[in-house]
Amino acid sequence: MAIIHVAAECFPVAKVGGLADVVGALPKFQNKNNQKAEVIMPFYNLPFTQKNKFKEIYKGEVPISGTNYTFRVVNLSKKSEFTINFIDIPELLYTEYVYSQDDTIRFLAFQIAVLKWISSWENKPEIIHVHDHHTALIPFMMTQSYQFDVLKNIPTVFTIHNAQYQGWFSHEKVGLIPKFDFSKVGLLDWNGEINPMATAIKCAWAVTTVSPSYMEELKHKANGLEDLLKHESGKCIGILNGIDTEVWNPETDEYLKKNYKRTNAISGKKTNKNWLCEQYEFDKNKPLIAFIGRFVHDKGCDLFAELFTSYLKELDVSILILGSGDTKIQEDLTNLNAIFRDKYKYVAGYNEALSHVIYAGADFLLMPSRVEPCGLNQMYSLRYGTIPIVNNVGGLKDTIIDYRRPDGFGIVITESNVLEIKRALDEAVQLYDNQVLLKQIKNQIMKIDHSWLASAKEYQQLYKKLKN
Ligand code: ADP
Ligand code: GLC
């Protein structure tokens, strides 16, 4: 089956969070399942696009907001595991960032260019699969905009990676969308605004979220979309993300200080931990607990400053935090660097290489998320033999069982607040002191299979259903 994924991010080209990891892996595993999957994404001005050579395969025009933008479609000159097609609109998309404060015109122009290009194909794709709000007007334009009439019978799938961000813009900008029967403008509206995410939930043939539990949670808490999701529940399904077990493999991971597999994980992890401890002047004998992520309220990292200020003195642990985002959280966590020199370090910024060493070298990975649609970090940490400490929500609920329960292996809290996280850290210390159990759990989690193959099959079944 010929599938086109359309997204704003795709690893290794452009990554802000887990969306990139999914779009960079799912097509690869769909191809391994004998499908033909490709990606279409914007051509940004990032190291990947600067370093590689591209060839032009199409040229067209996007008229938007009074300007006629010329666009090119390019793809990599060299062979790659799956084809990534880039929409190049220099004035709008060739930026050193993926997202900015106001992306309405940028991503609308991108989506129109995508559809213009696909409309020109002789053999149309069998499925168009769009991801998050940046690509969420595609199902509407395919079915309502006159100029894309040739695409209206192609089934569309819309995946919600995060319902928090919906891409709202005012009705005053409705003229940006290619002409459609105005009696259908209600499809664009949710609560008085144009809401691309709501529009895709209404117009796509199927809607998926990235874990079954998140799908359930959204019916009660979806930043205003609860009723819509309940109403459309017949076409909604939660499919758990997988991970790219080729990129995330402790046996071959080139970023690691030492590679290892399950049978020599204890010594392999120790080399990576020792490197981190030397780097940040931590005591090698204490449990190393890490956090990696975007600093947003949903991740629960706003609780860290109070937690560590109140309790870190009495806790026998080392804490390593890698991330960036909210400036207040960054400031608070930076200030703690001077206070707890030998047991706490906040490393600001995005660092792919360091993140891999942390997954390998930490003893525990902390994810006190208030909302976590799927979460990939906990699955990476399982594969690297690092015990996740998670709040019981969304994809975390679907992947981690508390170690005190039958077959359990993680530390699970049921609410994200300072006291609960402190309790979990105390438990981590206790567990660390029980080296026999610790070793057994590490051995157990490294056997868990979260590769994409199973989830890619679920998508395949869904596509097949839509085609019939
Ligand atoms: P989200 O998409 O909500 O950010 P996920 O758990 O799905 O959360 O995915 C996060 C991805 O981004 C993981 O691959 C994680 O390792 C990576 N990541 C997040 N913050 C950083 C950072 N500061 N440096 C390196 N990688 C990061
Ligand atoms: C979103 C979610 C995250 C999920 C990722 C990939 O960014 O916040 O939980 O893992 O998308 O689907």
Side-chain angles (χ1 to χ4, degrees), residues 15 17-18 21 293-294 299 322-323 349-351 359 375-377 380:
K15 171 166 166 178
D21 289 2
R294 297 179 294 118
K299 300 278 179 198
L322 170 64
Y350 185 91
N351 189 331
Y359 286 117
L376 300 171
N377 299 18
Y380 298 147

Side-chain angles (χ1 to χ4, degrees), residues 4 43 67 71 95 114 157 217 238 309 430 443:
I4 291 297
F43 194 71
T67 309
F71 76 90
T95 50
V114 168
V157 175
E217 289 166 12
T309 309
Q430 271 177 31
N443 185 46

Side-chain angles (χ1 to χ4, degrees), residues 171-376:
H171 275 282
E172 283 167 19
K173 296 188 181 166
V174 70
L176 297 175
I177 301 171
K179 276 214 165 32
F180 59 94
D181 173 358
F182 208 71
S183 71
K184 300 289 177 55
V185 71
L187 288 171
L188 294 169
D189 181 85
W190 196 250
N191 289 334
E193 280 181 296
I194 294 184
N195 182 324
M197 184 161 282
T199 303
I201 296 169
K202 297 179 206 178
C203 299
W205 291 34
V207 175
T208 71
T209 58
V210 288
S211 72
S213 287
Y214 185 55
M215 186 87 253
E216 281 313 303
E217 289 166 12
L218 283 181
K219 291 181 188 154
H220 310 285
K221 195 167 166 259
N223 205 4
L225 299 179
E226 301 77 6
D227 289 342
L228 177 61
L229 282 158
K230 273 188 221 152
H231 179 75
E232 299 284 2
S233 64
K235 67 173 181 190
C236 295
I237 174 179
I239 300 179
L240 189 71
N241 282 336
I243 59 170
D244 188 331
T245 44
E246 290 164 6
V247 173
W248 296 93
N249 181 357
E251 252 185 286
T252 52
D253 189 328
E254 286 175 3
Y255 291 124
L256 299 199
K257 302 302 160 193
K258 183 177 177 196
N259 290 108
Y260 59 92
K261 50 188 174 193
R262 195 168 53 81
T263 45
N264 65 352
I266 300 299
S267 72
K269 285 182 70 63
K270 200 169 173 184
T271 307
N272 288 287
K273 177 175 176 178
N274 286 350
W275 184 86
L276 291 169
C277 289
E278 274 157 29
Q279 203 74 6
Y280 303 117
E281 296 173 29
F282 293 153
D283 181 340
K284 293 174 186 167
N285 297 314
K286 286 185 187 170
L288 175 56
I289 302 178
F291 171 91
I292 300 171
R294 297 179 294 118
F295 288 175
V296 291
H297 184 258
D298 279 355
K299 300 278 179 198
C301 46
D302 53 301
L303 300 166
F304 289 164
E306 186 191 334
L307 172 78
F308 299 139
T309 309
S310 309
Y311 298 111
L312 193 51
K313 223 181 196 163
E314 64 186 75
L315 275 166
D316 219 8
V317 299
S318 310
I319 300 284
L320 177 55
I321 296 178
L322 170 64
S324 58
D326 183 285
T327 43
K328 168 85 171 72
I329 301 178
Q330 287 188 186
E331 259 171 51
D332 289 348
L333 295 183
T334 304
N335 292 339
L336 295 183
N337 276 338
I339 302 174
F340 301 108
R341 277 177 194 286
D342 55 351
K343 60 189 316 190
Y344 167 93
K345 179 72 186 176
Y346 163 47
V347 182
Y350 185 91
N351 189 331
E352 188 74 28
L354 178 59
S355 77
H356 285 241
V357 186
I358 297 177
Y359 286 117
D363 296 295
F364 298 90
L365 187 88
L366 183 56
M367 295 182 77
S369 310
R370 295 184 177 91
V371 178
E372 195 60 80
C374 178
L376 300 171

